Amino acid sequence: MATHTPTLAEIPGLIRVEHTDQEQLLSLCSELTKPSYTHQEVHGQYCTIQTHVDCPPDDVYDYLRQGHHLEEWTFSLRGFRPTGSPGLWVGSDLLEQDTPIYCRVEAAPQARTVDYHCAWDQGEELWMVYLMRVIPAQVVLNRPGSVITWTNCRHPYYDRNPHPELAPRPDRPWVGDYWPLFYAGHTVELANLKAILEHRHRTGQPVSSAPRAAEAQ
């Protein structure tokens, strides 16, 4: 039985050199370029930040892939401990009183990606996903060190708590209430991360540190 092979010509709305000349493309790009953008336009659905860090990419990746370091560079995540479920840890988000946060780290060494899969209150559905990548700065900026990118996507649960019955108190604010401040808050935390990595690298200290639980043994 013959099958139809789809072609690009059948797909409406494509902008390609075969049917768009340079003048048309420049005109379209000008229409899409605005002198200013609202916060909602830039950060309403996706929040991406980035920075250069004067620290080798392998050291940066090794630091990020070890989830206990979240206690060092984040503003409010503290006290992580194993849950008993493989790879799943639970700590406290001190941004709100009595709020547990669950986290599992998924890292890929070849691409130097580190994804933190998290959730407030429960560890069954880790829907708060923090996507980070470490890029050799020599490749993209022609300078030593690393470029770190960090992206959050606005999952629908940011707009509604899927498990309100698990909140420690009925009047506790929800993590999604802070979404308009994600860019600013994450910028503060990325600056923390940069300061820690650069200080340790510059002073010849090990970049990574042992978990506090290991230090106590």
Side-chain angles (χ1 to χ4, degrees), residues 56-191:
D58 287 340
D59 289 345
V60 174
Y61 167 77
D62 191 54
Y63 180 90
L64 289 174
R65 72 170 182 83
Q66 300 179 67
H68 67 274
H69 288 131
L70 288 167
E71 297 186 15
E72 293 189 335
W73 63 270
T74 65
F75 176 77
S76 59
L77 305 187
R78 302 292 185 268
F80 278 105
R81 60 194 183 278
T83 63
S85 178
L88 182 65
W89 290 62
V90 62
S92 298
D93 192 340
L94 301 182
L95 193 64
E96 290 296 338
Q97 184 179 1
D98 300 323
T99 294
I101 183 167
Y102 291 78
C103 182
R104 176 179 283 112
V105 181
E106 296 186 6
Q110 186 173 3
R112 296 192 187 90
T113 59
V114 180
D115 301 338
Y116 303 103
H117 294 248
C118 306
W120 275 13
D121 302 332
Q122 53 80 38
E124 298 297 321
E125 186 177 7
L126 302 177
W127 58 271
M128 298 162 55
V129 185
Y130 302 82
L131 308 166
M132 304 188 79
R133 181 176 181 180
V134 182
I135 306 162
Q138 197 67 54
V139 175
V140 293
L141 295 178
N142 195 29
R143 60 185 294 195
S146 308
V147 172
I148 301 175
T149 65
W150 176 4
T151 296
N152 274 86
C153 302
R154 189 168 183 169
H155 191 285
Y157 288 171
Y158 279 112
D159 294 324
R160 62 173 183 86
N161 184 353
H163 300 286
E165 73 282 359
L166 299 178
R169 59 187 188 280
D171 62 342
R172 184 200 62 184
W174 179 234
V175 62
D177 299 340
Y178 294 101
W179 182 271
L181 300 176
F182 266 35
Y183 171 79
H186 290 175
T187 296
V188 169
E189 293 183 317
L190 193 58

Side-chain angles (χ1 to χ4, degrees), residues 47-64:
C47 181
T48 297
I49 60 175
Q50 56 282 316
T51 194
H52 173 267
V53 177
D54 186 14
C55 184
D58 287 340
D59 289 345
V60 174
Y61 167 77
D62 191 54
Y63 180 90
L64 289 174

Side-chain angles (χ1 to χ4, degrees), residues 17 20-28:
V17 70
T20 307
D21 62 29
Q22 185 183 53
E23 183 176 350
Q24 290 173 309
L25 176 62
L26 292 176
S27 177
L28 176 60

Side-chain angles (χ1 to χ4, degrees), residues 186-203:
H186 290 175
T187 296
V188 169
E189 293 183 317
L190 193 58
N192 287 346
L193 177 61
K194 176 181 172 73
I196 292 169
L197 293 171
E198 290 188 340
H199 173 79
R200 290 178 178 168
H201 175 62
R202 183 175 62 251
T203 57

